[in-house]
Coordinates of all heavy atoms in Angstrom, one line a residue:
M1 N 161.4 128.3 134.4 CA 160.5 128.9 133.4 C 161.2 129.0 132.1 O 160.6 128.8 131.0 CB 160.0 130.2 133.9 CG 158.9 130.8 133.1 SD 157.5 129.7 133.3 CE 156.2 130.7 132.6
R2 N 162.5 129.2 132.1 CA 163.3 129.4 130.9 C 163.4 128.0 130.2 O 163.3 128.0 128.9 CB 164.7 129.9 131.2 CG 165.5 130.0 130.0 CD 166.9 130.6 130.4 NE 166.8 132.0 130.1 CZ 167.8 132.9 130.4 NH1 168.9 132.5 131.0 NH2 167.7 134.1 130.1
W3 N 163.5 126.9 130.9 CA 163.6 125.6 130.3 C 162.3 125.2 129.6 O 162.3 124.6 128.6 CB 164.0 124.6 131.3 CG 163.0 124.3 132.4 CD1 162.9 124.9 133.5 CD2 162.0 123.4 132.3 NE1 161.9 124.4 134.3 CE2 161.3 123.5 133.5 CE3 161.5 122.4 131.4 CZ2 160.2 122.7 133.8 CZ3 160.4 121.7 131.7 CH2 159.7 121.8 132.9
L4 N 161.1 125.7 130.2 CA 159.8 125.4 129.6 C 159.7 126.1 128.3 O 159.2 125.5 127.3 CB 158.7 125.8 130.6 CG 157.3 125.6 130.1 CD1 157.1 124.1 129.9 CD2 156.3 126.1 131.1
K5 N 160.2 127.3 128.2 CA 160.1 128.1 127.0 C 161.0 127.4 125.9 O 160.6 127.3 124.7 CB 160.6 129.5 127.2 CG 160.6 130.4 126.0 CD 161.1 131.8 126.3 CE 161.1 132.7 125.1 NZ 161.7 134.0 125.4
G6 N 162.2 126.9 126.3 CA 163.0 126.2 125.4 C 162.4 124.9 124.9 O 162.5 124.5 123.7
V7 N 161.7 124.2 125.8 CA 161.1 122.9 125.4 C 159.9 123.2 124.4 O 159.8 122.5 123.4 CB 160.5 122.2 126.6 CG1 159.6 121.0 126.2 CG2 161.7 121.6 127.5
I8 N 159.1 124.2 124.7 CA 158.0 124.6 123.8 C 158.6 125.0 122.4 O 158.1 124.6 121.4 CB 157.1 125.7 124.4 CG1 156.4 125.1 125.6 CG2 156.2 126.2 123.4 CD1 155.6 126.1 126.4
L9 N 159.6 125.8 122.4 CA 160.2 126.2 121.2 C 160.8 125.0 120.4 O 160.6 125.0 119.2 CB 161.4 127.3 121.4 CG 162.1 127.8 120.2 CD1 161.1 128.6 119.4 CD2 163.2 128.7 120.7
A10 N 161.4 124.1 121.1 CA 162.0 122.9 120.4 C 160.8 122.1 119.8 O 161.0 121.6 118.7 CB 162.8 122.1 121.4
I11 N 159.7 121.9 120.5 CA 158.6 121.2 120.0 C 158.0 121.9 118.7 O 157.8 121.2 117.7 CB 157.5 121.0 121.1 CG1 158.0 120.1 122.2 CG2 156.2 120.5 120.5 CD1 157.1 120.0 123.4
I12 N 157.9 123.2 118.8 CA 157.4 123.9 117.6 C 158.3 123.8 116.4 O 157.9 123.5 115.3 CB 157.1 125.4 118.0 CG1 156.0 125.5 118.9 CG2 156.9 126.2 116.7 CD1 155.8 126.9 119.5
L13 N 159.6 123.9 116.7 CA 160.6 123.7 115.6 C 160.6 122.3 115.0 O 160.7 122.2 113.8 CB 162.0 124.0 116.1 CG 162.3 125.5 116.3 CD1 163.7 125.7 117.0 CD2 162.1 126.3 115.1
I14 N 160.4 121.3 115.8 CA 160.4 119.9 115.3 C 159.1 119.7 114.5 O 159.2 119.1 113.4 CB 160.4 118.9 116.5 CG1 161.8 118.9 117.1 CG2 160.0 117.5 116.0 CD1 162.0 118.1 118.3
V15 N 158.0 120.3 114.9 CA 156.7 120.1 114.1 C 156.9 120.8 112.8 O 156.5 120.3 111.8 CB 155.5 120.7 115.0 CG1 154.3 120.8 114.1 CG2 155.2 119.8 116.2
V16 N 157.4 122.1 112.8 CA 157.6 122.8 111.5 C 158.5 122.0 110.6 O 158.3 121.9 109.4 CB 158.1 124.2 111.8 CG1 158.5 124.9 110.5 CG2 157.0 125.0 112.5
L17 N 159.6 121.5 111.1 CA 160.6 120.7 110.3 C 159.9 119.5 109.7 O 160.1 119.2 108.6 CB 161.8 120.3 111.2 CG 162.9 119.5 110.5 CD1 163.5 120.4 109.4 CD2 163.9 119.1 111.5
L18 N 159.1 118.8 110.5 CA 158.4 117.6 110.0 C 157.4 118.0 108.9 O 157.3 117.2 107.9 CB 157.7 116.8 111.2 CG 158.7 116.1 112.1 CD1 157.9 115.5 113.3 CD2 159.5 115.1 111.4
L19 N 156.7 119.1 109.1 CA 155.7 119.5 108.1 C 156.5 119.9 106.8 O 156.0 119.6 105.7 CB 154.9 120.7 108.6 CG 153.8 120.3 109.6 CD1 153.2 121.6 110.2 CD2 152.8 119.4 109.1
G20 N 157.6 120.5 106.9 CA 158.4 120.9 105.8 C 158.9 119.6 105.0 O 158.9 119.6 103.8
I21 N 159.4 118.6 105.8 CA 159.8 117.4 105.1 C 158.7 116.7 104.5 O 158.8 116.2 103.3 CB 160.5 116.5 106.2 CG1 161.8 117.1 106.6 CG2 160.7 115.1 105.6 CD1 162.4 116.4 107.8
L22 N 157.5 116.7 105.1 CA 156.3 116.1 104.5 C 155.9 116.8 103.3 O 155.5 116.2 102.2 CB 155.2 116.1 105.5 CG 153.8 115.4 105.1 CD1 154.0 113.9 104.9 CD2 152.8 115.7 106.2
F23 N 156.0 118.1 103.3 CA 155.6 118.9 102.1 C 156.6 118.6 101.0 O 156.2 118.5 99.8 CB 155.7 120.4 102.5 CG 155.5 121.3 101.3 CD1 154.2 121.5 100.8 CD2 156.6 122.0 100.7 CE1 154.1 122.3 99.7 CE2 156.4 122.8 99.7 CZ 155.1 123.0 99.1
A24 N 157.9 118.5 101.3 CA 158.9 118.3 100.2 C 158.7 116.9 99.6 O 158.9 116.7 98.4 CB 160.3 118.4 100.8
V25 N 158.4 115.9 100.4 CA 158.2 114.5 99.9 C 157.0 114.4 99.1 O 157.0 113.7 98.0 CB 158.1 113.6 101.1 CG1 157.7 112.2 100.7 CG2 159.5 113.5 101.8
N26 N 155.9 115.1 99.4 CA 154.7 115.0 98.6 C 154.7 115.9 97.4 O 153.7 115.8 96.6 CB 153.5 115.4 99.5 CG 153.2 114.3 100.5 OD1 153.4 113.2 100.3 ND2 152.6 114.7 101.7
N27 N 155.7 116.7 97.2 CA 155.7 117.6 96.0 C 157.0 117.4 95.2 O 157.7 118.3 95.0 CB 155.6 119.1 96.4 CG 154.2 119.4 96.9 OD1 153.2 119.3 96.2 ND2 154.1 119.8 98.2
Q28 N 157.2 116.2 94.7 CA 158.4 115.9 94.0 C 158.3 116.0 92.5 O 159.3 115.9 91.8 CB 158.8 114.4 94.3 CG 159.4 114.3 95.7 CD 160.6 115.1 95.9 OE1 161.5 115.2 95.1 NE2 160.8 115.7 97.1
Q29 N 157.1 116.2 92.0 CA 156.9 116.3 90.5 C 157.6 117.5 90.0 O 157.6 118.6 90.5 CB 155.4 116.3 90.1 CG 154.6 117.5 90.7 CD 154.0 117.2 92.0 OE1 154.5 116.4 92.8 NE2 152.9 117.8 92.3
P30 N 158.4 117.3 88.9 CA 159.1 118.4 88.3 C 158.2 119.4 87.6 O 157.2 119.0 87.0 CB 160.0 117.7 87.2 CG 159.5 116.4 87.0 CD 158.6 116.0 88.2
L31 N 158.6 120.7 87.7 CA 157.7 121.7 87.2 C 158.6 122.8 86.6 O 159.4 123.3 87.3 CB 156.9 122.3 88.4 CG 155.9 123.4 88.1 CD1 154.7 122.9 87.3 CD2 155.5 124.0 89.4
P32 N 158.4 123.1 85.3 CA 159.2 124.2 84.8 C 158.6 125.6 85.3 O 157.4 125.7 85.3 CB 159.1 124.1 83.3 CG 157.8 123.3 83.1 CD 157.6 122.5 84.3
L33 N 159.5 126.5 85.6 CA 159.0 127.8 86.0 C 159.2 128.8 84.9 O 160.3 129.0 84.4 CB 159.8 128.3 87.3 CG 159.3 129.5 87.9 CD1 157.8 129.3 88.4 CD2 160.2 129.9 89.1
D34 N 158.1 129.3 84.4 CA 158.1 130.3 83.3 C 157.8 131.7 83.9 O 156.7 132.0 84.2 CB 157.0 129.9 82.3 CG 157.1 130.7 81.0 OD1 158.1 131.4 80.8 OD2 156.1 130.7 80.3
L35 N 158.9 132.5 83.9 CA 158.8 133.8 84.3 C 158.5 134.6 83.0 O 158.6 134.1 81.9 CB 160.1 134.3 85.0 CG 160.4 133.6 86.3 CD1 161.8 134.1 86.8 CD2 159.4 133.7 87.3
I36 N 158.2 135.9 83.1 CA 157.9 136.7 81.9 C 159.0 136.7 80.9 O 158.8 136.6 79.7 CB 157.4 138.1 82.3 CG1 156.1 138.0 83.1 CG2 157.2 139.0 81.1 CD1 155.7 139.3 83.7
W37 N 160.2 136.9 81.4 CA 161.4 137.1 80.5 C 162.2 135.9 80.3 O 163.0 135.8 79.4 CB 162.3 138.2 81.1 CG 161.6 139.5 81.1 CD1 161.4 140.4 80.0 CD2 161.0 140.2 82.2 NE1 160.7 141.5 80.5 CE2 160.4 141.4 81.8 CE3 160.9 139.8 83.6 CZ2 159.8 142.2 82.7 CZ3 160.2 140.7 84.4 CH2 159.7 141.9 84.0
V38 N 162.1 134.9 81.2 CA 163.0 133.8 81.1 C 162.2 132.5 81.6 O 161.3 132.6 82.4 CB 164.3 134.0 82.0 CG1 163.9 134.1 83.5 CG2 165.3 132.9 81.8
Q39 N 162.6 131.4 81.0 CA 162.0 130.1 81.4 C 163.1 129.3 82.1 O 164.1 129.0 81.6 CB 161.4 129.3 80.2 CG 160.7 128.1 80.7 CD 160.0 127.4 79.6 OE1 160.0 127.9 78.4 NE2 159.3 126.3 79.9
L40 N 162.8 129.0 83.4 CA 163.8 128.3 84.2 C 163.6 126.8 84.0 O 162.5 126.3 83.7 CB 163.6 128.7 85.7 CG 163.8 130.2 85.9 CD1 163.5 130.5 87.4 CD2 165.2 130.6 85.6
P41 N 164.6 126.0 84.2 CA 164.5 124.5 84.0 C 163.6 123.9 85.0 O 163.2 124.5 86.0 CB 166.0 124.1 84.2 CG 166.6 125.1 85.1 CD 166.0 126.4 84.7
S42 N 163.2 122.7 84.7 CA 162.3 121.9 85.6 C 163.0 121.6 86.9 O 164.1 121.1 86.9 CB 161.8 120.6 84.9 OG 161.1 121.0 83.8
A43 N 162.2 121.8 88.0 CA 162.7 121.4 89.3 C 161.4 121.1 90.1 O 160.3 121.4 89.7 CB 163.5 122.5 90.0
S44 N 161.6 120.5 91.3 CA 160.4 120.1 92.1 C 159.7 121.3 92.6 O 160.3 122.4 92.8 CB 160.9 119.2 93.2 OG 161.6 119.9 94.1
L45 N 158.4 121.2 92.8 CA 157.6 122.3 93.3 C 158.1 122.8 94.6 O 158.2 124.0 94.9 CB 156.1 121.9 93.3 CG 155.2 122.9 93.9 CD1 155.2 124.2 93.0 CD2 153.8 122.3 94.0
S46 N 158.5 121.9 95.5 CA 159.0 122.2 96.8 C 160.2 123.1 96.7 O 160.4 124.0 97.5 CB 159.2 121.0 97.7 OG 160.1 120.1 97.1
L47 N 161.1 122.8 95.8 CA 162.3 123.6 95.6 C 162.0 125.0 95.2 O 162.6 126.0 95.7 CB 163.3 122.9 94.6 CG 164.5 123.7 94.2 CD1 165.4 123.7 95.5 CD2 165.2 123.1 93.0
W48 N 161.1 125.1 94.2 CA 160.7 126.5 93.7 C 160.1 127.3 94.9 O 160.3 128.5 95.0 CB 159.7 126.4 92.6 CG 160.4 126.0 91.3 CD1 160.0 125.0 90.5 CD2 161.5 126.5 90.6 NE1 160.8 124.9 89.4 CE2 161.8 125.8 89.5 CE3 162.4 127.6 91.0 CZ2 162.8 126.1 88.6 CZ3 163.5 127.8 90.1 CH2 163.7 127.1 88.9
L49 N 159.3 126.6 95.7 CA 158.6 127.3 96.8 C 159.7 127.7 97.9 O 159.6 128.8 98.5 CB 157.5 126.5 97.4 CG 156.3 126.4 96.5 CD1 155.3 125.5 97.1 CD2 155.7 127.7 96.2
L50 N 160.6 126.9 98.1 CA 161.7 127.2 99.1 C 162.5 128.4 98.6 O 163.0 129.2 99.3 CB 162.5 126.0 99.4 CG 161.8 124.9 100.3 CD1 162.7 123.7 100.4 CD2 161.5 125.5 101.6
V51 N 162.8 128.4 97.3 CA 163.6 129.5 96.7 C 162.8 130.8 96.8 O 163.4 131.8 97.1 CB 163.9 129.2 95.2 CG1 164.5 130.4 94.5 CG2 165.0 128.0 95.2
A52 N 161.5 130.7 96.5 CA 160.6 131.9 96.6 C 160.6 132.4 98.1 O 160.7 133.6 98.3 CB 159.2 131.6 96.1
L53 N 160.5 131.5 99.0 CA 160.6 131.9 100.5 C 161.9 132.5 100.8 O 161.9 133.6 101.5 CB 160.3 130.6 101.3 CG 160.5 130.9 102.8 CD1 159.3 131.8 103.3 CD2 160.5 129.5 103.6
A54 N 163.0 132.0 100.4 CA 164.3 132.5 100.7 C 164.4 133.9 100.1 O 164.9 134.9 100.7 CB 165.4 131.6 100.2
C55 N 164.0 134.1 98.8 CA 164.0 135.4 98.2 C 163.2 136.4 98.9 O 163.6 137.6 99.1 CB 163.6 135.3 96.7 SG 164.7 134.5 95.7
G56 N 162.0 136.0 99.4 CA 161.1 136.9 100.2 C 161.8 137.3 101.5 O 161.7 138.5 101.9
V57 N 162.4 136.3 102.2 CA 163.0 136.7 103.4 C 164.2 137.7 103.2 O 164.3 138.6 103.9 CB 163.6 135.4 104.1 CG1 164.5 135.7 105.2 CG2 162.4 134.5 104.6
I58 N 165.0 137.4 102.2 CA 166.1 138.3 101.9 C 165.6 139.7 101.5 O 166.1 140.7 102.0 CB 167.0 137.7 100.8 CG1 167.7 136.5 101.3 CG2 168.0 138.8 100.3 CD1 168.5 135.7 100.3
L59 N 164.6 139.8 100.7 CA 164.0 141.1 100.3 C 163.4 141.8 101.5 O 163.5 143.0 101.6 CB 163.0 140.9 99.2 CG 163.6 140.6 97.8 CD1 162.4 140.3 96.8 CD2 164.5 141.7 97.3
G60 N 162.8 141.1 102.4 CA 162.2 141.7 103.6 C 163.3 142.2 104.5 O 163.1 143.3 105.1
M61 N 164.4 141.5 104.6 CA 165.5 142.0 105.5 C 166.1 143.2 104.9 O 166.4 144.2 105.6 CB 166.5 140.9 105.6 CG 166.0 139.7 106.5 SD 167.1 138.3 106.5 CE 168.6 139.0 107.1
L62 N 166.2 143.2 103.6 CA 166.8 144.4 102.9 C 165.9 145.6 103.1 O 166.3 146.8 103.3 CB 167.1 144.2 101.4 CG 168.2 143.2 101.1 CD1 168.3 143.0 99.6 CD2 169.5 143.9 101.6
A63 N 164.6 145.4 103.0 CA 163.6 146.5 103.1 C 163.6 147.0 104.6 O 163.4 148.2 104.8 CB 162.2 146.0 102.8
M64 N 163.9 146.2 105.5 CA 163.8 146.6 106.9 C 165.2 147.3 107.4 O 165.3 147.9 108.5 CB 163.5 145.5 107.9 CG 162.1 145.0 107.7 SD 160.9 146.3 108.1 CE 161.2 146.7 109.7
T65 N 166.2 147.1 106.6 CA 167.5 147.7 107.0 C 167.5 149.2 107.2 O 168.1 149.7 108.1 CB 168.6 147.3 105.9 OG1 168.6 145.9 105.8 CG2 169.9 147.8 106.2
G66 N 166.8 149.9 106.3 CA 166.7 151.3 106.4 C 166.0 151.7 107.7 O 166.5 152.6 108.4
M67 N 164.9 151.1 108.0 CA 164.2 151.4 109.3 C 165.1 151.0 110.5 O 165.1 151.8 111.4 CB 162.9 150.6 109.3 CG 162.1 150.7 110.6 SD 161.3 152.3 110.7 CE 160.1 152.2 109.5
Y68 N 165.8 149.9 110.4 CA 166.6 149.5 111.5 C 167.7 150.6 111.8 O 168.0 151.0 112.9 CB 167.2 148.2 111.3 CG 168.3 147.7 112.3 CD1 167.9 147.3 113.5 CD2 169.6 147.9 112.0 CE1 168.8 146.9 114.5 CE2 170.6 147.5 112.9 CZ 170.2 147.0 114.1 OH 171.1 146.7 115.1
L69 N 168.4 151.0 110.7 CA 169.5 152.0 110.8 C 168.9 153.3 111.4 O 169.6 154.0 112.2 CB 170.2 152.2 109.5 CG 171.0 151.0 109.0 CD1 171.5 151.3 107.6 CD2 172.1 150.6 110.0
R70 N 167.7 153.7 110.9 CA 167.2 155.0 111.4 C 166.8 154.9 112.9 O 167.1 155.8 113.7 CB 165.9 155.3 110.6 CG 165.3 156.7 110.9 CD 164.1 157.0 110.1 NE 163.0 156.2 110.3 CZ 162.1 156.4 111.2 NH1 162.2 157.4 112.0 NH2 161.1 155.5 111.4
L71 N 166.2 153.8 113.3 CA 165.9 153.6 114.7 C 167.1 153.5 115.6 O 167.2 154.0 116.7 CB 165.0 152.4 114.9 CG 163.6 152.5 114.4 CD1 162.8 151.2 114.5 CD2 162.8 153.6 115.1
R72 N 168.2 152.8 115.0 CA 169.4 152.7 115.8 C 170.1 154.1 116.0 O 170.6 154.4 117.1 CB 170.4 151.8 115.0 CG 171.6 151.4 115.7 CD 171.3 150.4 116.8 NE 172.6 150.1 117.4 CZ 172.7 149.4 118.5 NH1 171.6 149.0 119.1 NH2 173.9 149.2 119.0
T73 N 170.0 154.9 115.0 CA 170.5 156.3 115.1 C 169.8 157.1 116.1 O 170.3 157.8 116.9 CB 170.5 157.0 113.7 OG1 171.2 156.2 112.8 CG2 171.1 158.4 113.8
L74 N 168.4 157.0 116.1 CA 167.6 157.7 117.0 C 167.9 157.2 118.5 O 167.9 158.0 119.4 CB 166.1 157.5 116.7 CG 165.6 158.3 115.5 CD1 164.2 157.9 115.2 CD2 165.7 159.8 115.7
L75 N 168.1 155.9 118.6 CA 168.4 155.4 120.0 C 169.8 155.9 120.5 O 169.9 156.3 121.6 CB 168.4 153.8 119.9 CG 168.8 153.1 121.2 CD1 167.8 153.4 122.3 CD2 169.0 151.6 121.0
T76 N 170.8 155.9 119.6 CA 172.1 156.4 120.0 C 172.0 157.9 120.4 O 172.6 158.3 121.4 CB 173.1 156.2 118.8 OG1 173.1 154.9 118.5 CG2 174.5 156.7 119.2
R77 N 171.2 158.7 119.6 CA 171.1 160.1 119.9 C 170.3 160.3 121.2 O 170.7 161.1 122.1 CB 170.3 160.7 118.8 CG 170.3 162.2 118.8 CD 169.6 162.9 117.6 NE 170.2 162.4 116.4 CZ 169.6 162.3 115.2 NH1 168.3 162.6 115.1 NH2 170.3 161.9 114.1
A78 N 169.3 159.5 121.5 CA 168.6 159.6 122.7 C 169.4 159.2 123.9 O 169.3 159.8 125.0 CB 167.3 158.7 122.7
Q79 N 170.3 158.1 123.8 CA 171.1 157.7 124.8 C 172.2 158.8 125.2 O 172.5 159.1 126.3 CB 171.8 156.4 124.5 CG 170.9 155.2 124.6 CD 171.6 154.0 124.1 OE1 172.6 154.0 123.3 NE2 171.1 152.8 124.5
R80 N 172.7 159.5 124.1 CA 173.7 160.5 124.3 C 173.0 161.7 125.0 O 173.5 162.3 126.0 CB 174.2 161.0 123.0 CG 175.4 161.9 123.1 CD 176.0 162.3 121.7 NE 176.3 161.1 120.9 CZ 175.8 161.0 119.7 NH1 175.0 161.9 119.1 NH2 176.1 159.9 119.0
H81 N 171.8 162.0 124.6 CA 171.0 163.1 125.3 C 170.7 162.8 126.8 O 170.8 163.6 127.7 CB 169.7 163.4 124.5 CG 168.9 164.5 125.1 ND1 169.3 165.8 125.0 CD2 167.7 164.5 125.7 CE1 168.4 166.6 125.6 NE2 167.4 165.8 126.0
N82 N 170.4 161.5 127.0 CA 170.1 161.1 128.3 C 171.3 161.2 129.2 O 171.3 161.6 130.4 CB 169.6 159.6 128.3 CG 169.1 159.1 129.6 OD1 168.8 159.9 130.5 ND2 168.9 157.8 129.8
Q83 N 172.5 160.8 128.7 CA 173.7 160.9 129.4 C 174.0 162.4 129.8 O 174.5 162.7 130.9 CB 174.9 160.3 128.6 CG 176.2 160.2 129.4 CD 177.2 159.5 128.5 OE1 177.1 159.4 127.3 NE2 178.3 159.1 129.2
Q84 N 173.8 163.3 128.8 CA 174.1 164.7 129.1 C 173.1 165.2 130.2 O 173.5 166.0 131.1 CB 173.9 165.5 127.8 CG 174.9 165.3 126.8 CD 174.6 166.0 125.5 OE1 173.5 166.5 125.3 NE2 175.6 166.0 124.6
Q85 N 171.9 164.8 130.1 CA 170.9 165.2 131.1 C 171.3 164.6 132.5 O 171.1 165.4 133.5 CB 169.5 164.7 130.8 CG 168.9 165.3 129.5 CD 168.7 166.8 129.7 OE1 168.3 167.2 130.7 NE2 169.0 167.5 128.6
R86 N 171.8 163.4 132.6 CA 172.2 162.9 133.9 C 173.4 163.6 134.4 O 173.5 163.9 135.6 CB 172.6 161.4 133.7 CG 171.4 160.5 133.6 CD 171.9 159.0 133.4 NE 170.8 158.2 133.1 CZ 170.1 157.5 134.0 NH1 170.4 157.5 135.3 NH2 169.1 156.7 133.6
K87 N 174.3 164.0 133.6 CA 175.5 164.8 134.0 C 175.0 166.2 134.6 O 175.5 166.6 135.6 CB 176.5 165.0 132.9 CG 177.3 163.8 132.5 CD 178.3 164.1 131.4 CE 179.1 162.9 131.0 NZ 180.0 163.2 129.9
E88 N 174.1 166.8 133.9 CA 173.6 168.1 134.3 C 172.8 167.9 135.6 O 173.0 168.8 136.6 CB 172.7 168.7 133.3 CG 172.2 170.1 133.7 CD 171.3 170.7 132.6 OE1 171.3 170.1 131.5 OE2 170.7 171.7 132.9
L89 N 172.1 166.9 135.8 CA 171.4 166.6 137.0 C 172.3 166.4 138.2 O 172.1 166.9 139.3 CB 170.4 165.4 136.9 CG 169.6 165.1 138.1 CD1 168.6 166.2 138.5 CD2 168.8 163.8 137.8
D90 N 173.4 165.6 137.9 CA 174.4 165.4 139.0 C 175.1 166.7 139.4 O 175.3 166.9 140.6 CB 175.4 164.3 138.5 CG 174.8 162.9 138.5 OD1 173.8 162.7 139.1 OD2 175.4 162.1 137.8
R91 N 175.4 167.5 138.4 CA 176.0 168.8 138.6 C 175.1 169.7 139.5 O 175.5 170.3 140.5 CB 176.4 169.5 137.3 CG 177.2 170.8 137.5 CD 177.4 171.5 136.2 NE 176.3 171.8 135.4 CZ 175.4 172.8 135.6 NH1 175.7 173.6 136.6 NH2 174.4 173.0 134.8
L92 N 173.8 169.7 139.1 CA 172.9 170.5 139.9 C 172.7 170.0 141.3 O 172.5 170.8 142.3 CB 171.5 170.6 139.2 CG 171.5 171.4 137.9 CD1 170.2 171.2 137.2 CD2 171.8 172.9 138.2
R93 N 172.7 168.7 141.5 CA 172.5 168.1 142.8 C 173.7 168.5 143.7 O 173.6 168.8 144.9 CB 172.4 166.6 142.7 CG 171.0 166.2 142.3 CD 171.0 164.7 142.3 NE 169.6 164.2 141.9 CZ 169.3 163.0 141.4 NH1 170.3 162.1 141.4 NH2 168.1 162.7 141.1
T94 N 175.0 168.4 143.1 CA 176.1 168.7 143.9 C 176.2 170.2 144.2 O 176.6 170.6 145.3 CB 177.4 168.3 143.2 OG1 177.5 168.9 141.9 CG2 177.5 166.8 143.1
Q95 N 175.7 171.0 143.3 CA 175.7 172.5 143.5 C 174.7 172.8 144.6 O 175.0 173.6 145.4 CB 175.3 173.2 142.2 CG 175.3 174.7 142.3 CD 174.9 175.3 140.9 OE1 174.6 174.6 140.0 NE2 174.9 176.6 140.9
E96 N 173.5 172.2 144.6 CA 172.5 172.4 145.6 C 173.0 172.0 147.0 O 172.8 172.6 148.0 CB 171.2 171.6 145.2 CG 170.1 171.8 146.2 CD 168.9 171.1 145.8 OE1 168.5 171.1 144.7 OE2 168.4 170.3 146.7
F97 N 173.8 170.8 147.0 CA 174.3 170.4 148.2 C 175.3 171.3 148.8 O 175.4 171.6 150.0 CB 174.9 169.0 148.0 CG 175.5 168.4 149.3 CD1 174.7 167.9 150.3 CD2 176.9 168.3 149.4 CE1 175.2 167.4 151.4 CE2 177.4 167.7 150.6 CZ 176.6 167.3 151.6
K98 N 176.2 171.9 147.9 CA 177.2 172.8 148.4 C 176.6 174.1 148.9 O 177.0 174.7 149.8 CB 178.2 173.1 147.2 CG 179.1 172.0 146.9 CD 180.0 172.3 145.7 CE 180.9 171.2 145.4 NZ 181.8 171.5 144.2
E99 N 175.5 174.6 148.2 CA 174.9 175.8 148.7 C 174.1 175.6 150.0 O 174.0 176.6 150.8 CB 173.9 176.3 147.6 CG 174.5 176.8 146.3 CD 173.5 177.1 145.3 OE1 172.3 176.9 145.5 OE2 173.9 177.6 144.2
S100 N 173.6 174.4 150.3 CA 172.9 174.2 151.5 C 173.8 174.1 152.7 O 173.4 174.2 153.9 CB 172.0 173.0 151.4 OG 172.8 171.9 151.3
T101 N 175.1 173.8 152.5 CA 176.0 173.6 153.6 C 176.8 174.9 153.9 O 176.7 175.9 153.6 CB 177.0 172.5 153.4 OG1 177.7 172.8 152.2 CG2 176.4 171.2 153.4

């Protein structure tokens, strides 16, 4: 089953790669990018879109870093509490066993 998942993932990646190559080939016309404060030099439309995608991915990762760290801290705290509860349960079980004998 694992190999089937790998094959399906490989097929999807190849299709996405081919679509990206097709997109880049069909959008070669140079286009100057005019932002509000600065005008960037002419480059292909596909390059500007890839740069925008990369910036979006990086900003999304930075935005999720705070949530990730908070959840990681909560998980560590919960694991520590769980370990303390297990120790107490083991102590109570051994105490009950000693009292019954």
